[in-house]
Amino acid sequence: MNTPVIGVLALQGDVREHLIALAAADAVARPVRRPEELAEVDGLVIPGGESTTISKLAELFGLMGPLRERIAAGMPVYGTCAGLIMLADKILDPRSGQETFGGIDMIVRRNAFGRQNESFEAGVTVTGVEDGPVEGVFIRAPWVESVGAEVEILAEHEGHIVAVRQGRALATSFHPELTGDHRLHALFVDMVRAGR
C-alpha cells in the first residue's frame, strides 16, 4: 500500500483539523515543528493562521531554510489561507520583516476579502475536484492578484483567484479542513503519491 507520510506545519493555526482531514484521505499525518521532522515526510500542509507569525516562528524553529530547500527541490506542499501567502513568491502588502517559503510564482494580497467579521462561506468549483463545488470557508482570506505562466488557476470566487497549482505546490485562499469535505486533501494526497 502506497500510504504517504504527510506533515502539517505545526507552528500556529488549525493544525489538528488538517491532521484529521489527511488521515481521512488515507495518509499518515504528523505534526512538523523541527527540521528533523520535516526530513521524514513525503509532503507538507501549511495551515491557515497568521502568516507573519508563521514566518517568525519558522525562523525561530530553524525551519525557514530547510522548508525553502525542500519546496524548491519539489516536495509536494499544500497551503491554505495563510499557507497560500507563505507559498507566494511575492506578497503585495507584506508586514515588516515578513518572509515566505516561496514555491508558487504568484503575487498575493493579504486579508483581501476583509476582516474577521467579514468572514463567509461559499461554494467554490475547483478544477480537478469532482462531484460539485467544495464549501470554501474564507476567514480574513487572501486572494491571488496575479500568476506566472507556469501556474494553473484552479478556482475563482467573485472574479478573484482563490486556488492555484504549480507543479507539486497547491494553494487555496479558503479552509477546506473546516468543512468535513476531504476532497481537496485527497487531491493533495494523490499529488504526494505521484511524487514518491
Side-chain angles (χ1 to χ4, degrees):
M1 179 69 184
N2 184 9
T3 307
V5 177
I6 301 180
V8 178
L9 187 64
L11 302 177
Q12 193 243 351
D14 50 350
V15 175
R16 185 176 155 274
E17 292 84 352
H18 278 293
L19 291 169
I20 291 166
L22 287 166
D26 296 323
V28 174
R30 46 174 79 146
V32 169
R33 288 185 193 87
R34 295 180 184 78
E36 52 271 27
E37 293 168 339
L38 176 65
E40 294 171 356
V41 298
D42 302 310
L44 185 73
V45 171
I46 303 166
E50 214 294 303
S51 58
T52 315
T53 304
I54 293 170
S55 169
K56 288 177 179 161
L57 289 172
E59 283 286 0
L60 195 66
F61 280 81
L63 277 165
M64 187 62 83
L67 262 168
R68 284 179 172 158
E69 286 166 24
R70 290 258 353 241
I71 292 168
M75 173 184 69
V77 63
Y78 173 30
T80 62
C81 197
L84 172 138
I85 295 168
M86 294 304 298
L87 288 175
D89 284 348
K90 184 161 188 242
I91 305 173
L92 206 58
D93 47 353
R95 286 266 175 86
S96 169
Q98 182 173 9
E99 303 267 341
T100 70
F101 306 135
I104 299 180
D105 182 10
M106 62 181 172
I107 300 172
V108 300
R109 183 183 294 275
R110 299 165 66 252
N111 303 334
F113 283 106
R115 299 181 176 280
Q116 190 85 19
N117 63 356
E118 297 169 277
S119 300
F120 63 95
E121 292 185 31
V124 182
T125 301
V126 182
T127 301
V129 176
E130 295 176 2
D131 301 323
V134 297
E135 193 61 25
V137 179
F138 292 82
I139 304 169
R140 289 174 56 210
W143 67 48
V144 179
E145 287 275 328
S146 63
V147 297
E150 304 290 308
V151 180
E152 182 185 2
I153 296 168
L154 301 181
E156 294 188 27
H157 178 70
E158 294 179 346
H160 301 290
I161 302 166
V162 296
V164 294
R165 179 176 178 178
Q166 182 176 355
R168 294 182 181 164
L170 176 70
T172 58
S173 295
F174 51 89
H175 295 267
E177 72 283 2
L178 299 179
T179 65
D181 180 344
H182 306 307
R183 288 177 291 164
L184 270 160
H185 288 81
L187 173 68
F188 180 60
V189 171
D190 287 344
M191 285 170 59
V192 177
R193 277 201 190 99
R196 287 173 82 201

